[in-house]
Amino acid sequence: MLIEAYVASPAQALAAEDEGAGRIELCGPGEGGLTPSVAAMRETLALVRVPVHVMVRPCEGGFVYNDAEYALMKKAVLDAKSAGAAGVVFGMLNDDLTFDVPRMRELITLARPLRVAVHRAFDGCADPDAGLETLLALGVDVVLTAGHAPTALEGAATLKRLVAKAGDRLVILAGGSVRAENVHTILAESGVPEIHARATSPGIIAGLAAALR
């Protein structure tokens, strides 16, 4: 069971790896995680051995972006690629809360051969089943989701449906208040192959790793 750790600094990335994280999601400061600096990308990649996925999110708020914000996202994808990241994490919606397919396709093409993950923008899309089909068609590798619910535990039934629909075409990554005390219930009820938690809160990654041993 892979644990992905959300971190906001190189030091947190190193601590999360030591505590049992099998992958790092590197974010910069800001609510929900924003694009980290290039310096943070490079320092993190020099410190840890596990794969690092870099957040590409230019601003707080929703997931509908203007042209200037989109230009920043393209630069961030290239920065992550140049730094040696294993993957990038992003998501773009239209005003009607469907995925912005043309611009996401362009970002995915720009990112390859890195892995591409979609963050909780998925939980903001209008229809999880239609959204998943869109992401499958785009060739996305990982989708972080709480199953269109406030927490992964509450969304476990939807997560189970998404896992079945995705099959081996992409990974459903369960995130949203995943903790040592509920992780076994989430796994049993959803069947997800990977989990995501915040290493910005002390003890969470170590607790999960211990619970899963």
Side-chain angles (χ1 to χ4, degrees):
M1 174 57 55
L2 183 139
I3 303 170
E4 178 183 86
Y6 167 111
V7 306
S9 72
Q12 286 178 357
L14 183 59
E17 180 184 52
D18 289 344
E19 290 172 358
R23 186 171 66 231
I24 299 297
E25 181 190 68
L26 177 64
C27 302
E31 180 61 34
L34 302 181
T35 304
S37 69
V38 176
M41 295 181 200
R42 294 190 182 280
E43 184 178 349
T44 299
L45 286 157
L47 283 173
V48 304
R49 299 179 302 275
V50 298
V52 176
H53 286 187
V54 172
M55 176 64 74
V56 176
R57 187 166 173 244
C59 58
E60 296 178 0
F63 304 104
V64 179
Y65 301 112
N66 61 33
D67 289 344
E69 291 161 347
Y70 179 51
L72 290 174
M73 294 177 77
K74 288 193 285 187
K75 180 183 183 301
V77 166
L78 293 175
D79 286 340
K81 197 173 182 178
S82 175
V88 288
V89 186
F90 58 80
M92 303 179 69
L93 300 176
N94 297 308
D95 288 330
D96 65 358
L97 302 183
T98 58
F99 281 103
D100 185 341
V101 171
R103 293 203 289 182
M104 284 193 62
R105 182 180 289 118
E106 185 176 0
L107 283 182
I108 290 168
T109 300
L110 205 60
R112 294 303 186 198
L114 306 188
R115 296 186 84 208
V116 172
V118 170
H119 52 44
R120 294 285 294 274
F122 180 82
D123 287 339
C125 76
D127 181 328
D129 296 285
L132 182 64
E133 291 300 329
T134 297
L135 299 182
L136 285 165
L138 283 168
V140 167
D141 301 297
V142 181
V143 175
L144 170 62
T145 173
H148 266 236
T151 69
L153 185 60
E154 293 170 273
T158 298
L159 287 170
K160 183 176 182 178
R161 187 174 76 247
L162 295 171
V163 168
K165 284 178 175 289
D168 60 2
R169 294 177 291 172
L170 64 72
V171 172
I172 300 297
L173 171 64
S177 299
V178 180
R179 301 290 187 268
E181 59 269 22
N182 63 22
V183 65
H184 288 289
T185 303
I186 291 169
L187 296 178
E189 294 184 3
S190 70
V192 294
E194 298 181 359
I195 56 173
H196 171 99
R198 285 176 174 264
T200 50
S201 299
I204 288 179
I205 303 299
L208 282 169
L212 291 169
R213 287 193 189 106

